[in-house]
Amino acid sequence: MTPEVGVGADVSTFLQHNTHFVEIGYAKWVPRPMQILASESGTVQFDLQLVALRGGWASTKMPLRGWVGLEVGRMHGEGPALRAPESGVGRWIAISSGFGVGWPISPRTRLVGTFEVAVPVERATFQFMDGSEVREPAPISARSALGVEVAWR
């Protein structure tokens, strides 16, 4: 989604009933610079913010889950090398699918590892000042995450 490897954070609420679950989350990716020209004015920073809705299956016997989801957000690019007045904003809409595994730490917490693939339905495009190059996210994005899950009951 962002140039090369990106880093971000996600905060979400997860509700489960029997083997079905729904999750809504907010994610923000750290701005990632992309060097277009050799000079300082050739750097563009890209970042992404999104809201994700996921739903799927979660085992009641093992700490496994799988899901499909929808992401809606905005991608922002900023820098003098962009054609727009030093910034640009575009929508991000993607369909995602993934799986996760949890390792219990205590009765109310567990360490969760996930792998997810997102396919953008609508992706932001950014045109550079010289008009010859356009930056847009890849047609498919793979992510992995490590996090902590806390149960309230």
Side-chain angles (χ1 to χ4, degrees), residues 83-124:
R83 177 164 287 228
E86 299 204 5
S87 69
V89 176
R91 286 193 305 193
W92 171 267
I93 300 173
I95 296 170
S96 63
S97 181
F99 67 92
V101 178
W103 297 273
I105 298 172
S106 75
R108 293 186 184 254
T109 60
R110 65 177 146 186
L111 185 64
V112 178
T114 64
F115 178 78
E116 183 174 48
V117 174
V119 177
V121 174
E122 184 173 332
R123 46 190 178 154

Side-chain angles (χ1 to χ4, degrees), residues 46-94:
F46 294 101
D47 70 75
L48 176 65
Q49 298 177 42
L50 60 89
V51 173
L53 178 63
R54 299 176 184 101
W57 170 85
S59 173
T60 56
K61 299 187 187 309
M62 298 178 295
L64 299 174
R65 65 180 77 142
W67 64 85
V68 294
L70 176 67
E71 302 176 347
V72 178
R74 74 175 185 95
M75 183 173 249
H76 177 253
E78 187 172 316
L82 288 177
R83 177 164 287 228
E86 299 204 5
S87 69
V89 176
R91 286 193 305 193
W92 171 267
I93 300 173

Side-chain angles (χ1 to χ4, degrees), residues 9-66:
D10 183 317
V11 176
S12 60
T13 300
F14 178 89
L15 299 170
Q16 182 173 342
H17 179 68
N18 295 326
T19 60
H20 298 87
F21 77 89
V22 66
E23 175 182 16
I24 187 163
Y26 170 78
K28 179 165 176 39
W29 292 82
V30 175
R32 184 81 180 151
M34 182 178 185
Q35 192 71 30
I36 306 303
L37 307 170
S39 68
E40 182 75 24
S41 66
T43 302
V44 178
Q45 295 240 15
F46 294 101
D47 70 75
L48 176 65
Q49 298 177 42
L50 60 89
V51 173
L53 178 63
R54 299 176 184 101
W57 170 85
S59 173
T60 56
K61 299 187 187 309
M62 298 178 295
L64 299 174
R65 65 180 77 142

